[in-house]
Amino acid sequence: MSEGARERGKARRREAILRAAYQLFAERGFEATTIAEIADRAEVSARTVTLYFPTKLDLATCHLGEFTGRLAHALNNRAPGTTTLEALETWLRADLAEHPAEGELDGLWEAMLDRNPQLRAVTNSRLAEAIQEGARIFAAERGAAPDAFTPRMVAAAAAAVVSELYLRPTEAHLEAAMAFLAAGISTLPPGQLP
């Protein structure tokens, strides 16, 4: 078996595990679902599940962690002279094109969060961390303190826009979202609000 075929097989198993976990967490609840049940639905062994995801919480938060990791990497590694907003738009275009099949997984993930408030709380906490990281990056670009009002407001607005785009990933929505963010940023006062 070639290395490429092996990697594709691993990716398929991993996605099957995630899909099974999110379905079961939505149907039965996070606490009531066992690793064995996830393995059974994914048609893998329980050991395989724990090799990919050591804990159920790792399973439940993996989707968000990968997403925020890709975004943070794009913003932190943007080309010199590229604004945070330009880097965000470039990344969104590439990420939406590269991950078009995630729509079903996104839907399952949302259903899982709706059924499990404790997972939504964990997710909200991790989203808050991602927003703080976005504020830090934007603040550095603007010469502001990372905890200043303006960078936090811009990061929160960007997070809301990105969230909506992944629910409705069309070119028209992307154009409207970026225009909205650009217009909002352009109206900010020259001095930073504390």
Side-chain angles (χ1 to χ4, degrees):
M1 181 183 284
S2 73
E3 188 65 31
R6 202 171 293 122
E7 290 305 312
R8 285 190 302 276
K10 285 181 182 178
R12 280 192 300 274
R13 271 189 304 282
R14 187 176 187 284
E15 186 170 327
I17 293 166
L18 282 173
R19 182 172 281 107
Y22 293 170
Q23 287 170 344
L24 288 165
F25 294 161
E27 292 167 10
R28 300 179 186 166
F30 178 74
E31 296 297 333
T33 301
T34 66
I35 294 292
E37 291 168 328
I38 294 166
D40 187 51
R41 180 154 309 176
E43 299 181 348
V44 297
S45 70
R47 177 163 164 66
T48 298
V49 172
T50 58
L51 285 173
Y52 282 85
F53 304 97
T55 69
K56 285 195 310 183
L57 188 58
D58 291 333
L59 266 165
T61 59
C62 168
H63 195 57
L64 175 65
E66 289 174 353
F67 175 82
T68 58
R70 293 191 310 263
L71 176 56
H73 182 267
L75 295 180
N76 283 311
N77 295 293
R78 65 190 187 279
T82 303
T83 68
T84 306
L85 188 60
E86 291 166 341
L88 176 63
E89 181 175 3
T90 300
W91 177 78
L92 279 168
R93 289 184 184 286
D95 199 66
L96 286 167
E98 187 178 335
H99 299 94
E102 286 189 349
E104 181 189 0
L105 199 54
D106 286 342
L108 290 171
W109 189 69
E110 283 295 328
M112 172 194 72
L113 293 179
D114 287 344
R115 169 73 190 265
N116 299 278
Q118 75 277 32
L119 294 180
R120 184 156 311 268
V122 170
T123 298
N124 288 344
S125 172
R126 294 196 181 170
L127 279 174
E129 291 169 11
I131 289 169
Q132 183 59 36
E133 176 66 7
R136 185 195 61 73
I137 293 166
F138 184 75
E141 177 181 300
R142 303 283 286 214
D147 61 345
F149 177 76
T150 302
R152 291 179 59 78
M153 180 181 62
V154 169
V161 163
V162 168
S163 174
E164 285 301 311
L165 275 173
Y166 276 84
L167 294 174
R168 297 167 188 83
T170 68
E171 180 64 25
H173 290 142
L174 177 61
E175 292 293 330
M178 298 318 295
F180 171 80
L181 289 174
I185 290 170
S186 73
T187 65
L188 293 173
Q192 300 296 318
L193 299 173

